[in-house]
Amino acid sequence: MRRGVGLMMAALLAACAGVPEAGEAPRFDGPPPEVSRRGEMPAAVQANPQLTAREILAAAHEAAGGEDWRGVKSLYLEGYNIIRRPDGSEVLWDRYAMWREFSDTKANAHAAEGKVRIEAWTGDAIAMLIAFDGETTYDQNGPVPEDVAARAWASNFGFGAIRNGLDEGWTQARLPDDLIDGAPAYMIALTDPSGGRTIFGIRQSDFATVYAGFGTPRGWHERRYSHFFSVPGSRWVQPGRVRLHYDGVKANEAVWTRVVIGEAIDPSVFVITEPPASPTF
């Protein structure tokens, strides 16, 4: 019995570690280089040190779609969201959407500005609903207290810093390069006029924005962006998958499958007076 358990555990560990089959070459990276060759390790030393954070940010804007992306007035995203419980189990929000109207300026990257609505359903049951009409925050039952609203938005808002990071009153700083999902990335910090700081990772190969990190009431929040796709008829580049973490633990994965930019949104979308009986999208 003990021998059988031992063999089973060995097989499990081998599978998890990716041990090659008999006759297959080992999958080793090799030892790190000696100090004089440290530059051979991706992101171990600063790439293109002459590039400033401002220049990297400007290139990231162009990679995201240039003026089509930077000057957008409205955005609608639709897809699904995979919610991760602390034990690793999954809850699927199979219908998930966000409506967004952007303000021209942004003084605080982690506060609600402009207008926004986020709505999620699991089957026929509403899973989450929050909206901001420019003055008031709502959940599915109507207006919520300002302190509750501020905490909710501070735990979620932050990516917009990269859109406004070249505006007057903002500062940019270059940080040590790093690897994001195995790809070398320029790391920059943007500080908004209110003093809020957000860190971004910009992939060195194409200047795609692949990481955002900032402090929130829920802890240190990180987002990792991947599965980029283009929007027909524009230069807009959309990350289709966003993995969200708090204090190093993955909380959910938002997956966007449909994007609409620049279309007018009825103001009533951002005002909630009663729970919706069915999805509004």
Side-chain angles (χ1 to χ4, degrees), residues 28 85 119 144 194 250 265:
F28 299 134
R85 296 192 181 103
E119 181 177 332
V144 302
S194 73
K250 184 164 64 176
I265 301 174

Side-chain angles (χ1 to χ4, degrees), residues 44-55:
V45 299
Q46 209 82 324
N48 301 311
Q50 76 282 1
L51 283 177
T52 67
R54 190 175 183 88
E55 290 169 335

Side-chain angles (χ1 to χ4, degrees), residues 258-279:
R258 182 172 176 237
V259 185
V260 179
I261 60 172
E263 292 192 1
I265 301 174
D266 191 303
S268 65
V269 166
F270 304 106
V271 178
I272 302 168
T273 57
E274 60 183 359
S278 60

Side-chain angles (χ1 to χ4, degrees), residues 9-281:
M9 288 300 297
L12 178 61
L13 289 170
C16 292
V19 173
E21 300 290 338
E24 186 178 350
R27 305 185 192 120
F28 299 134
D29 294 326
E34 56 188 45
V35 64
S36 63
R37 295 169 45 233
R38 62 192 181 280
E40 296 177 6
M41 292 188 295
V45 299
Q46 209 82 324
N48 301 311
Q50 76 282 1
L51 283 177
T52 67
R54 190 175 183 88
E55 290 169 335
I56 292 168
L57 179 57
H61 282 191
E62 287 304 306
E67 193 55 35
D68 285 354
W69 176 84
R70 189 170 43 247
V72 71
K73 299 301 182 183
S74 70
L75 172 66
Y76 172 75
L77 295 171
E78 187 178 316
Y80 57 92
N81 203 329
I82 306 167
I83 308 302
R84 301 293 182 182
R85 296 192 181 103
D87 64 1
S89 59
E90 169 189 309
V91 176
L92 178 62
W93 296 352
D94 55 352
R95 299 200 65 183
Y96 186 62
M98 181 177 74
W99 297 255
R100 190 83 169 90
E101 284 189 358
F102 297 96
S103 59
D104 292 332
T105 61
K106 195 171 186 66
N108 186 335
H110 309 293
E113 293 185 0
K115 298 180 181 181
V116 62
R117 177 186 179 118
I118 304 172
E119 181 177 332
W121 293 75
T122 296
D124 295 328
I126 191 163
M128 189 271 289
L129 178 59
I130 189 170
F132 178 68
D133 66 1
E135 295 182 357
T136 303
T137 296
Y138 306 83
D139 64 12
Q140 61 265 32
N141 299 310
V144 302
E146 288 188 13
D147 59 332
V148 175
R151 182 179 177 87
W153 294 125
S155 293
N156 290 280
F157 268 68
F159 180 79
I162 199 166
R163 187 184 310 279
N164 296 95
L166 294 175
D167 292 353
E168 185 177 355
W170 288 70
T171 61
Q172 313 85 27
R174 186 165 176 184
L175 305 177
D177 292 353
D178 206 350
L179 294 174
I180 302 297
D181 289 345
Y186 301 114
M187 306 300 293
I188 60 175
L190 304 180
T191 303
D192 64 42
S194 73
R197 188 169 185 258
T198 309
I199 295 173
F200 288 94
I202 311 299
R203 194 161 56 197
Q204 293 178 3
S205 61
D206 57 3
F207 289 94
T209 301
V210 291
Y211 174 90
F214 50 94
T216 78
R218 290 181 59 182
W220 180 250
H221 181 37
E222 295 177 298
R223 298 182 183 183
R224 296 173 186 268
Y225 302 90
S226 62
H227 294 72
F228 295 88
F229 61 94
S230 61
V231 175
S234 80
R235 293 181 55 205
W236 184 282
V237 177
Q238 177 64 40
R241 181 183 184 185
V242 187
R243 291 145 45 218
L244 296 90
H245 304 71
Y246 290 92
D247 285 340
V249 179
K250 184 164 64 176
N252 62 296
E253 304 187 37
V255 179
W256 302 119
T257 57
R258 182 172 176 237
V259 185
V260 179
I261 60 172
E263 292 192 1
I265 301 174
D266 191 303
S268 65
V269 166
F270 304 106
V271 178
I272 302 168
T273 57
E274 60 183 359
S278 60
T280 56
F281 57 100

